[in-house]
Amino acid sequence: MAVTNNAYVNLGSRLESLHSKTCAVDRAHWVPSENGEKVLTFYELDNIEHDTINRYLSSLVERSLMELNDSYCLEIGEDNRSISPLTLGRVASYYYLKHTTVRGFCDTMKADCSVPHLLEILSNASEFAELPVRHNEDQTNAELADRVPLQVNRHALDSAHTKTHILLQAHFSHVDMPSSDYSTDTKSVLDQAIRVLQAMLDVSADQGWLVTTLNVVQLLQMVIQARWDDQSSLLTLPHLQQHHLYCFRPRGAGARPKGFPDMRGPVESLPELAEICGGRREVLDALLGAEMDRTKTEQIFEVLVALPLVEVEVEVSGWMEGENSSTSRALNIWHRGGRRPDSEWVPLHADQEYVLNICLRCLNKPQRKDQKAHAPRFPKPKDEGWILVVGDIEAKEVLALKRVSPLRGGARGTRAQIALLTPPTPGRVVYTLYLLSDAYLGLDQQFDLCFDILPASVEAQVNSELRDLDLDS
């Protein structure tokens, strides 16, 4: 904590530059020690006596705890001695975020945040405060702001947060950067953005905000794929541009080249295109032959057949009254249109915890070399991950969220379990299971989970609680 004058003669003249580069040194000055020798002290200490240091450290701890309390990261007990961590504190710690960032989430995130609003919240995270805004870059930022679709604060073009907002929009819009410095800054922003978005997702799900949660995942996909969410997911494939999309529309019998598939309507999504091609490259050649050579269609085909096509199976397990053991019942999640028969409404008791057993099976695993996402504009390799969300659409509420690592192939697939607490009131309810990619736009799926909620059963609840005790012991 102290450095003698004889040891560092020239240190005093460098303190200002040192202060600008590190948060460890607050202020430093020379003070006399007991033997008369001058000592360089830091942190505005008048001396290096034990009591002085103790008072400083006590003040530092108290000030830090109060800041964390004001940021909703922890709670100070009524005795002013005990502290308890809160959700925002755990989120900030897990993702290595500043407490001011999660405080900003708490102050600005709402139940129905749109993607543009979330983009602004992301840009205002404290992690971007140190993004360099160099001399005259406010003028360059103004020029870039004219080329992106969403408005930014024109009165703060020299702000690091405004620049972050512009760079993210330029990333989505494929705007060429004006210099290598801007390319480097964009990589820095993208690198930080992922963990900030993951933290936003946890905060939103913890609050139970379904709309915001789904939009955070969509923004995460946009960052990875460098595209706006309203663009066709077909543009994920290499070489494809907006003017190529006409190739995926039906054609008259006389205008069809050899191998052109029979299409009832335009192909608008990646799963549709994969299904129409059916693993045959000649179909893709027929679709795009008028616009691209075989080398390009081969590259497109390689990416298309490597995209993760996922099959989902869902069972619900738990105790029912009058049964001797916990049972599992399969849910028909593939019902499409029309009134559901009574047999497809799975009975569950009210106000009781059940478990959703979800099997995710990658259908095209043998054709895939690895599980890295196709994201040529993202600066780092990205594993394909998945997010399971159970929501109540009518209440716009998140009931559960679970992240799933890259999927395994084979008959067994990847299995995940989600605890589900049934509502306290009997009656039929429809929940929605969302399977969301954390890397691709256009591969998300959603399924209805139909339950017939019966009156609560003390017997079933006791058996369920006893089972949980056995699992814990």
Side-chain angles (χ1 to χ4, degrees), residues 279 301 305-306 363-369:
F301 182 77
V305 297
L363 299 178
N364 57 335
K365 181 71 176 180
Q367 297 172 283
R368 311 188 67 224
K369 298 178 181 179

Side-chain angles (χ1 to χ4, degrees), residues 417-455:
Q417 291 188 327
I418 297 179
L420 179 67
L421 181 65
T422 55
T425 306
R428 288 184 170 180
V429 297
V430 179
Y431 293 149
T432 303
L433 173 66
Y434 298 89
L435 174 65
L436 309 173
S437 169
D438 72 352
Y440 293 106
L441 286 158
L443 295 186
D444 301 336
Q445 302 182 58
Q446 69 179 70
F447 309 94
D448 288 339
L449 308 178
C450 298
F451 300 117
D452 187 8
I453 305 301
L454 307 178

Side-chain angles (χ1 to χ4, degrees), residues 52-70:
T52 302
I53 296 174
N54 187 53
R55 283 195 300 271
Y56 168 76
L57 292 176
S58 297
S59 175
L60 176 64
V61 170
E62 182 178 359
R63 187 167 64 250
S64 300
L65 290 176
M66 290 304 299
E67 288 183 7
L68 293 173
N69 181 76
D70 292 341

